[in-house]
Amino acid sequence: MLDKQSPIPIYSQIEEQLKQQIQRGDFPVGTSIPSERELSERFAVSRMTVRQSITNLVNDGLLYREKGRGTFVASPKVEQPLNGLTSFTEDMESRGMVPSSKLIGFEILEPESDVAQELQLNHGDQVYFVERIRFADDKPMAIERTYLPVKRFPDLTEESFQGSLYAVIENNQQQKISRATQRMEAGLVKKDDADLLQIKPPAAILMIERISFLEGDLPFEVVRSTYRADRYKFTTDIQR
Ligand code: 16G
């Protein structure tokens, strides 16, 4: 099964074989893979070598470890195209997943100058500052921290953020969402966010800031999102 003459290191060959077994469904999502001892016997290599293969698969998000319990097969990541301006609710529903939210903060405040500038606010203008954990099939996917100008939507309440905000804006408020700009950065999760996302630091996250505009190029939201890097991969179509 392994080619000891190959220039490809043994741990990479094992990694590849385990990957294929996961993709074929030999080890279904949520089940544990064989122990290091079993794998080292099966491949006739040291436990160190097997551990290296498993660590690489954990780092790639195909497996996850639970202390004292073992190593398990992770759910495949959600593939999120970055080309269209869609809402979280639309994104999850289009995959047959059930979206939900937990509102963890709702305040009206005067924002810092960077947000005020992005929303083209005047001095003294207030925003709703809303913090939500977004779930797909009851699993936490992201934290969204949203700033919306009160003057554009004077009558929003906590209720407006229980379901889809974009549906509220387009259906209840009768406004047309037209475009957005986004910035994306990688990072390591902070302690408080790790608890909210149910992950253990150190863990990778993707941070996205979106500034979205209504027709007429009026900025209506600044959203700072923290996505679980083990749950998401982002795709774009590019042309030349
Ligand atoms: C997405 C958007 C966020 C928007 C939300 C509305 C990114 C980075 N963020 O998560 O800006 O506020 O959708 O979703 O894509 P909702 O309509 O389900 O509340």
Side-chain angles (χ1 to χ4, degrees):
M1 278 216 283
L2 298 176
D3 180 358
K4 299 216 161 143
Q5 310 307 321
S6 164
I8 301 169
I10 294 296
Y11 69 82
S12 299
Q13 293 183 42
I14 296 176
E15 200 181 312
E16 193 48 44
Q17 293 200 13
L18 290 174
K19 202 183 219 168
Q20 283 176 14
Q21 283 189 280
I22 294 167
Q23 280 158 357
R24 274 206 308 265
D26 294 356
F27 307 132
V29 170
T31 61
S32 62
I33 59 158
S35 68
E36 281 178 13
R37 189 178 47 76
E38 280 172 69
L39 290 172
S40 69
E41 281 168 12
R42 183 187 301 179
F43 290 109
V45 295
S46 72
R47 281 178 69 157
M48 277 267 289
T49 304
V50 165
R51 193 168 306 151
Q52 178 68 65
S53 319
I54 293 175
T55 300
N56 287 353
L57 292 169
V58 169
N59 291 343
D60 287 346
L62 273 87
L63 297 175
Y64 61 95
R65 286 196 175 102
E66 279 195 9
K67 256 212 181 101
R69 290 194 56 225
T71 306
F72 299 85
V73 179
S75 312
K77 295 181 184 181
V78 163
E79 275 203 38
Q80 176 63 47
L82 288 173
N83 309 57
L85 176 44
T86 49
S87 73
F88 182 83
T89 302
E90 291 164 341
D91 291 339
M92 295 307 125
E93 284 179 347
S94 69
R95 294 181 177 83
M97 300 170 100
V98 179
S100 59
S101 302
K102 184 174 175 201
L103 191 65
I104 52 170
F106 179 87
E107 283 176 75
I108 293 179
L109 46 81
E110 270 184 47
E112 298 292 328
S113 58
D114 52 348
V115 171
Q117 214 172 2
E118 288 170 329
L119 289 172
Q120 298 170 17
L121 299 180
N122 299 318
H123 188 71
D125 283 348
Q126 290 185 310
V127 293
Y128 302 98
F129 172 57
V130 182
E131 291 183 275
R132 294 189 290 175
I133 310 173
R134 311 300 308 255
F135 298 84
D137 292 342
D138 294 325
K139 289 193 198 138
M141 305 293 282
I143 305 167
E144 285 180 358
R145 298 187 167 94
T146 308
Y147 301 84
L148 297 150
V150 173
K151 66 178 179 191
R152 271 201 229 301
F153 313 105
D155 52 1
L156 297 185
T157 62
E158 292 192 17
E159 196 57 33
S160 319
F161 298 91
Q162 300 298 341
S164 168
L165 172 64
Y166 281 10
V168 167
I169 290 173
E170 294 181 318
N171 305 335
N172 305 10
Q173 306 279 320
Q174 301 277 314
Q175 306 265 16
K176 279 219 163 80
I177 298 171
S178 63
R179 69 175 189 94
T181 57
Q182 292 195 156
R183 293 190 203 113
M184 192 191 286
E185 263 179 86
L188 290 174
V189 74
K190 294 189 185 114
K191 169 79 182 69
D192 292 352
D193 286 356
D195 293 343
L196 298 173
L197 290 170
Q198 297 170 28
I199 48 180
K200 285 202 188 77
I205 47 158
L206 291 155
M207 297 175 286
I208 302 187
E209 179 175 271
R210 180 187 281 192
I211 308 169
S212 319
F213 298 81
L214 299 172
E215 247 179 13
D217 244 12
L218 302 170
F220 77 91
E221 69 166 0
V222 168
V223 186
R224 293 176 178 165
S225 309
T226 302
Y227 285 82
R228 284 180 58 153
D230 61 340
R231 289 266 157 88
Y232 269 95
K233 60 169 93 149
F234 293 93
T235 61
T236 46
D237 282 327
I238 43 184
Q239 277 177 26
R240 181 168 154 91

